[in-house]
Amino acid sequence: MSTRRKFIKNASIIGAGLFLAPQFSYSSNGSKNDKLNIGMIGVGLRGTHHLNNLLLRKDVNITAVCDIDPVRIDLVLKSIENAGAKKPEVFGKNEYDYRNLLALEEVDAVIISTPWLWHTLMTKEAMLANKYAGVEVSAANTLEECWDLVNTHEQTGTHMMILENVNYRRDVMAVLNMVRQNVFDELVHFRCGYQHDLREVKFNNGKQPYGGGVEFGEKSTSEAQWRTLHSVKRNGDVYPTHGIGPIAAMANINRGNRFVSMTSNATKAIGLHNHVVKGGGENHPNAKIKFKQGDVITSVIETANQETIVVTHDCNLPRPYSLGFRVQGANGLWEVDGNRIYIEGKSKPHQWDTATSWLEKYDHPLWKKYGEYAEGAGHGGMDFFVLNAFVESAKQNIAPPMDAYDAAAWSAITPLSEVSIEKNGEPQEFPDFTRGKWVKRQPYNWIKDSH
Ligand SMILES: NC(=O)c1ccc[n+]([C@@H]2O[C@H](COP(=O)([O-])OP(=O)(O)OC[C@H]3O[C@@H](n4cnc5c(N)ncnc54)[C@H](O)[C@@H]3O)[C@@H](O)[C@H]2O)c1
């Protein structure tokens, strides 16, 4: 019997065991066979981080790893050996060798942490191979890819989860808890975005990922090898999910609500050019490149429930990190910048309160339960939670908290923003990836069902 089928059989025994600490074996008898067998596809910076967090768990085996870079393979094999775990099967002799990993019987689930252009294809083929698929963000680059995820999930009945870790950030989950307890009353408006100075990520000297330098593509390492090209070629919000994921959960997107339409506008593109000139001089070949991606891209989404969501992409200029969250309802609002909140009847009229005591009061049950473990000793904080949700969902073969419909709707912001910008801010309709099911789908219960 496949290990996964055993999990399903055991699910009734465990029942409410969703809150069991991960260091406890999932199995009722603790036998080794009841572990989830995971294959890792892509073990660069992010994949290695996931791997190291997985190696701390007693309920998973890493049975296979795949990466086209032998340096990364050597590194993870050492980590696996140091953790005292069995050597996994190794793949990566070419870009499609992951297909041989997907063919393995002893892989139940895969974690995909490759560059963006591989995400949909690998996730789709994983589902076709009956592997529970976890994919890094974003999940898709085009509307066609968004549909591919949904269609393949529906055709195969196999689940996929978009591994959006920010949905598990402590303040975000506390605010979600406040939303569910109606602290803001009826929701009206949201803001969010990815506002992160990535100049040191998009360029390096080919030795260290963050070691300075102005090279990208083949002369560079890690994300500069592939991410920067998106800024050269595409004028759109290429990384929407860290911002939109948490807001979509609060607004019950695809579960009683949905994204209906969106307008996007982009500023001029000067940040990356200035960075190259500053580091490499005006005569550096990269100083001649005309970057297509506007430095600040602003999208406004309208939802079926008549809320608006402002989504910002701001990664090419000097600035401190912020996801810029704002959650506003009929009774008040929270803003992450300034750590402030205003609730009518509780706050002094027209005056902000610091949000700290509110966030503590509404600390999410998951964080109360696991917070100390997650934040201590490098267990990953929010990354522990997103991985835990993936592992627990895969073990029971149940729908994950963030599914194919979420992956499609959130990722669709990228292609829709590109078209809207191209057409001077013309509104773009979101496809209804649920094909009408959003009307009846129940809100995900992040309090009761979360794991
Ligand atoms: N959620 C987060 O907080 C977070 C943080 C960092 C990165 N990410 C996401 O994780 C993903 C990976 O980012 P990263 O920083 O690890 O990039 P990276 O460039 O360091 O790693 C990507 C790895 O994929 C490998 N790869 C490329 N094509 C492959 C193929 N066909 N088969 C097998 N391996 C292949 C590369 O050799 C590389 O080791 C991206 O989607 C990124 O946006 C998410």
Side-chain angles (χ1 to χ4, degrees):
M1 181 163 38
S2 92
T3 44
R4 188 119 65 83
R5 260 179 267 135
K6 261 190 227 160
F7 292 137
I8 300 164
K9 208 173 131 228
N10 282 352
S12 57
I13 305 169
I14 300 301
L18 297 175
F19 284 98
L20 282 178
Q23 61 268 44
F24 300 150
S25 171
Y26 177 78
S27 141
S28 51
N29 59 13
S31 95
K32 223 171 148 203
N33 284 344
D34 288 330
K35 292 185 176 189
L36 183 74
N37 290 332
I38 298 183
M40 309 290 297
I41 305 178
V43 280
L45 290 185
R46 187 66 181 159
T48 310
H49 183 70
H50 284 315
L51 177 83
N52 290 336
N53 284 332
L54 287 171
L55 287 172
L56 297 169
R57 300 184 65 109
K58 292 200 165 62
D59 56 354
V60 303
N61 291 319
I62 307 298
T63 47
V65 294
C66 176
D67 199 295
I68 51 172
D69 182 350
V71 175
R72 301 304 305 177
I73 291 286
D74 286 349
L75 214 124
V76 300
L77 288 182
K78 273 196 198 98
S79 303
I80 292 170
E81 193 185 343
N82 289 343
K86 197 174 155 215
K87 189 175 177 219
E89 290 218 38
V90 173
F91 300 89
K93 61 180 186 297
N94 62 52
E95 288 184 321
Y96 292 92
D97 206 14
Y98 70 88
R99 288 176 172 162
N100 293 316
L101 179 152
L102 292 177
L104 290 181
E105 167 79 7
E106 47 288 350
V107 168
D108 300 316
V110 291
I111 291 184
I112 298 161
S113 311
T114 46
W116 299 334
L117 294 179
W118 286 102
H119 285 186
T120 305
L121 185 65
M122 288 172 168
T123 307
K124 179 179 165 176
E125 292 186 5
M127 286 190 277
L128 287 169
N130 194 28
K131 312 298 184 195
Y132 202 109
V135 64
E136 260 305 333
V137 299
S138 289
N141 301 274
T142 63
L143 287 183
E144 190 187 10
E145 285 193 340
C146 294
W147 277 116
D148 263 357
L149 294 174
V150 165
N151 290 338
T152 312
H153 160 64
E154 290 183 349
Q155 279 156 18
T156 59
T158 308
H159 295 289
M160 65 149 292
M161 174 170 166
I162 179 167
L163 299 173
E164 183 42 76
N165 49 344
V166 182
N167 279 55
Y168 289 90
R169 218 170 80 169
R170 193 168 202 154
D171 57 347
V172 162
M173 291 203 94
V175 173
L176 175 69
N177 198 5
M178 290 167 70
V179 165
R180 291 292 185 262
Q181 297 195 38
N182 218 22
V183 171
F184 301 105
D185 202 353
E186 187 174 347
L187 297 170
V188 176
H189 178 70
F190 305 90
R191 291 185 190 196
C192 63
Y194 194 56
Q195 305 177 124
H196 189 184
D197 177 359
L198 290 182
R199 292 171 302 161
E200 296 285 316
V201 172
K202 290 187 180 181
F203 297 98
N204 61 49
N205 59 13
K207 293 186 190 106
Q208 297 292 328
Y210 307 118
V214 293
E215 300 296 349
F216 69 96
E218 281 178 5
K219 291 182 177 169
S220 66
T221 58
S222 193
E223 296 204 2
Q225 285 189 321
W226 53 270
R227 186 176 191 139
T228 318
L229 208 52
H230 291 262
S231 309
V232 177
K233 303 258 185 189
R234 307 173 73 184
N235 196 6
D237 182 340
V238 294
Y239 208 54
T241 71
H242 288 328
I244 203 64
I247 298 301
M250 293 176 201
N252 289 327
I253 296 302
N254 298 325
R255 297 168 175 86
N257 196 4
R258 76 176 194 91
F259 299 146
V260 175
S261 71
M262 188 178 80
T263 63
S264 300
N265 296 87
T267 66
K268 63 180 98 179
I270 57 171
L272 299 182
H273 172 78
N274 288 351
H275 179 78
V276 172
V277 171
K278 203 168 157 195
E282 281 191 3
N283 294 325
H284 192 281
N286 289 344
K288 293 182 183 58
I289 289 170
K290 233 183 137 16
F291 292 92
K292 206 169 169 200
Q293 183 181 62
D295 289 338
V296 180
I297 291 171
T298 312
S299 303
V300 183
I301 300 175
E302 284 186 5
T303 68
N305 288 351
Q306 292 181 290
E307 297 115 351
T308 52
I309 308 169
V310 178
V311 188
T312 306
H313 184 271
D314 174 359
C315 298
N316 301 337
L317 295 168
R319 60 155 302 139
Y321 179 92
S322 169
L323 298 185
F325 289 118
R326 166 164 156 189
V327 176
Q328 186 162 15
N331 202 38
L333 75 166
W334 167 70
E335 291 191 347
V336 73
D337 293 329
N339 184 34
R340 58 194 193 170
I341 192 166
Y342 177 82
I343 303 296
E344 192 167 60
K346 303 270 186 202
S347 309
K348 287 195 189 121
H350 302 286
Q351 281 185 38
W352 292 105
D353 285 335
T354 56
T356 310
S357 57
W358 286 86
L359 297 176
E360 280 167 11
K361 182 174 172 200
Y362 288 92
D363 197 21
H364 194 279
L366 268 188
W367 271 93
K368 280 191 184 143
K369 184 103 183 160
Y370 287 143
E372 208 176 313
Y373 173 82
E375 280 187 334
H379 292 123
M382 62 182 172
D383 290 334
F384 158 76
F385 288 99
V386 73
L387 212 51
N388 193 49
F390 174 75
V391 170
E392 295 296 344
S393 303
K395 284 194 306 195
Q396 296 177 71
N397 198 19
I398 55 173
M402 303 177 286
D403 61 12
Y405 303 106
D406 299 319
W410 306 353
S411 304
I413 290 171
T414 299
L416 292 176
S417 68
E418 285 181 289
V419 178
S420 181
I421 289 167
E422 184 75 29
K423 296 187 173 178
N424 292 319
E426 187 185 281
Q428 301 300 309
E429 301 283 307
F430 275 85
D432 174 8
F433 294 106
T434 71
R435 297 185 180 92
K437 289 198 290 278
W438 66 274
V439 173
K440 280 194 164 175
R441 289 182 94 216
Q442 289 303 304
Y444 185 77
N445 192 330
W446 286 87
I447 309 292
K448 197 164 123 307
D449 297 338
S450 280
H451 42 80

